[in-house]
Amino acid sequence: MEKIKRGLKTCRRCKTPIHENSLQDYCSRCYKVIEDVFDKIREYLRKYPGATAYEMEQRLEIPVHVINNFVKDGRLVEIPNGYLNIQCARCGCLLLSAHHKYCPSCEAEMRRGMQKATDELSNKITPVKDSGKMHLNHYLRKK
Ligand SMILES: [Zn+2]
Ligand SMILES: [Zn+2]
């Protein structure tokens, strides 16, 4: 391994000079930021083992190159993933995910749509007491 010259060690992220004996390649401030990002990734992978970098970019808003840096550092291991959805099943945007069929914005929209449908259903149909049958409200009012 090449010996690092005295005083020439700098933070890999912000280029601030750091102590040459520092175990990390980052200054303490950047180290904290990077650890926070890594915690998010770790949390996500615990929930979705085998998630892809693109998936994490979409879900966690962590740029792919940041995730790839962790791979380079050996903190993340890339594994071949044979069951990827290449496109969002709804809008067709690029989606490399082992766990999700839809992109985050489509998911949010579908959740809204589903909520709306449920609301409409519960507004229209009112169970009628003692009959055991369901009637639409406007039908009853006409009687
Ligand atoms: Zn730094
Ligand atoms: Zn979509």
Side-chain angles (χ1 to χ4, degrees):
M1 212 175 146
E2 205 185 321
K3 247 193 168 178
I4 300 155
K5 279 185 202 152
R6 257 183 104 78
L8 276 186
K9 195 166 178 181
T10 54
C11 170
R12 269 172 64 187
R13 191 164 171 267
C14 70
K15 308 294 174 216
T16 296
I18 46 175
H19 199 276
E20 78 249 36
N21 292 331
S22 170
L23 289 173
Q24 283 97 35
D25 297 325
Y26 302 98
C27 69
S28 54
R29 205 184 314 145
C30 292
Y31 185 73
K32 169 102 180 56
V33 172
I34 283 159
E35 286 309 295
D36 284 351
V37 169
F38 194 73
D39 273 350
K40 275 197 209 170
I41 294 174
R42 188 161 38 206
E43 202 50 46
Y44 192 81
L45 286 176
R46 201 172 291 153
K47 224 164 146 188
Y48 304 108
T52 67
Y54 287 102
E55 178 175 359
M56 288 193 277
E57 180 178 43
Q58 285 183 321
R59 301 280 153 178
L60 304 176
E61 285 165 8
I62 298 168
V64 166
H65 74 263
V66 172
I67 296 165
N68 282 338
N69 266 339
F70 287 125
V71 175
K72 260 187 248 159
D73 288 350
R75 300 186 69 181
L76 288 174
V77 179
E78 247 180 319
I79 49 165
N81 219 324
Y83 51 99
L84 294 180
N85 293 300
I86 304 300
Q87 292 179 331
C88 168
R90 191 164 174 269
C91 73
C93 74
L94 183 69
L95 180 76
L96 292 171
S97 168
H99 299 279
H100 301 277
K101 256 177 145 164
Y102 306 99
C103 68
S105 62
C106 281
E107 260 181 16
E109 230 170 271
M110 286 192 301
R111 244 197 312 274
R112 267 198 301 275
M114 218 133 45
Q115 188 56 48
K116 212 179 150 222
T118 328
D119 287 351
E120 275 169 14
L121 272 180
S122 54
N123 282 341
K124 267 184 198 155
I125 300 168
T126 313
V128 179
K129 261 189 185 166
D130 302 327
S131 76
K133 285 179 182 170
M134 306 278 253
H135 293 283
L136 292 173
N137 266 341
H138 69 266
Y139 187 73
L140 279 177
R141 274 191 220 112
K142 269 182 195 166
K143 270 191 189 173

